[in-house]
């Protein structure tokens, strides 16, 4: 059986601040000047970037948000549950995976500015996915949520916030 550790090694993945492991696989040469981007972007950005993202079931991707719509692609392993909370406090869950008949999606776009977290629900397993954004990613576009701040803003979602935050 292929292990998460073997894939992390084979693809040279590194720990991501949200949890899980990643490696950037694509960064377009083309650059969009800051003048042509919305005010939410500070500085220039490449047209597009993509990463591999691996998540083990004993870990989680902590609540964070990204300045761009982020397209997730499912590649291998067990399904990933993505939990989103809009700025209006509406919670939504989707599963990305290969069992399409069961409602799992091979692709899903997390809208920009939505708080989201991810988890592999099947014990002793992992998932390998890809995440693509345009304009291309910069850590300036990424905000990791603080647990207390999120709890204050969305007190009715306290259970999921507590289980999907570290700081
Ligand atoms: N590059 C580094 N971190 C990320 C991330 O969280 N999302 C995307 N799309 N690219 C990244």
């Amino acid at each position: 059986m292929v292990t998460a550790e073997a894939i992390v090694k084979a693809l040279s993945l590194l720990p991501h601040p949200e949890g899980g492991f990643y490696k950037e696989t694509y960064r377009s040469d083309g650059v969009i000047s800051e003048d042509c981007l919305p005010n939410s972007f500070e500085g220039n950005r490449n047209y597009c970037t993509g990463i591999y993202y691996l998540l083990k079931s004993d870990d989680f991707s902590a609540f964070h948000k990204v300045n761009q719509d982020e397209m997730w692609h499912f590649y291998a392993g067990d399904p990933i549950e993505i939990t989103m909370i809009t700025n209006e406090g509406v919670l939504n869950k989707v599963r990305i995976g290969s069992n399409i008949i069961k409602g799992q999606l091979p692709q899903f776009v997390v809208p920009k500015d939505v708080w989201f977290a991810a988890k592999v629900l099947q014990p002793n397993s992992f998932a390998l996915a890809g995440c693509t954004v345009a304009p291309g990613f910069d850590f300036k576009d990424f905000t990791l949520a603080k647990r207390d701040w999120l709890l204050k803003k969305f007190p009715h979602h306290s259970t999921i916030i507590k289980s999907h935050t570290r700081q």
Side-chain angles (χ1 to χ4, degrees):
M1 206 182 73
V2 181
T3 62
E5 288 73 21
I7 292 182
V8 166
K9 196 170 167 199
L11 296 178
S12 309
L13 308 184
L14 293 170
H16 196 284
E18 76 196 44
F21 295 85
Y22 81 111
K23 185 177 75 181
E24 191 171 279
T25 50
Y26 175 65
R27 177 167 291 269
S28 52
D29 287 337
V31 170
I32 311 168
S33 144
E34 182 176 15
D35 317 340
C36 301
L37 290 167
N39 288 337
S40 51
F41 292 92
E42 192 197 314
N44 303 341
R45 292 290 181 280
N46 298 90
Y47 294 158
C48 180
T49 56
I51 59 169
Y52 287 134
Y53 182 67
L54 182 137
L55 190 59
K56 292 170 63 179
S57 55
D58 60 0
D59 194 5
F60 59 86
S61 160
F63 271 105
H64 64 285
K65 65 177 181 176
V66 182
N67 219 351
Q68 300 89 331
D69 294 339
E70 183 170 68
M71 179 175 273
W72 284 61
H73 317 259
F74 184 82
Y75 298 140
D78 279 288
I80 301 179
E81 182 176 77
I82 301 177
T83 302
M84 292 157 282
I85 307 178
T86 67
N87 283 312
E88 293 72 43
V90 178
L91 186 142
N92 256 304
K93 289 181 181 193
V94 299
R95 282 186 194 181
I96 62 165
S98 52
N99 198 334
I100 296 163
I101 305 307
K102 269 197 177 166
Q104 298 163 13
L105 301 170
Q107 287 184 350
F108 182 73
V109 178
V110 178
K112 72 178 159 69
D113 248 351
V114 163
W115 293 105
F116 71 103
K119 178 88 189 150
V120 176
L121 301 178
Q122 178 73 28
N124 302 313
S125 67
F126 69 90
L128 178 67
C131 302
T132 305
V133 295
F137 188 86
D138 185 298
F139 271 103
K140 284 182 198 147
D141 306 325
F142 172 89
T143 310
L144 202 52
K146 293 258 195 304
R147 177 182 291 174
D148 288 348
W149 186 91
L150 221 51
L151 284 171
K152 231 182 221 167
K153 191 157 164 72
F154 307 118
H156 47 302
H157 298 312
S158 62
T159 307
I160 188 101
I161 290 171
K162 283 178 189 161
S163 62
H164 287 71
T165 48
R166 296 185 183 84
Q167 59 171 23

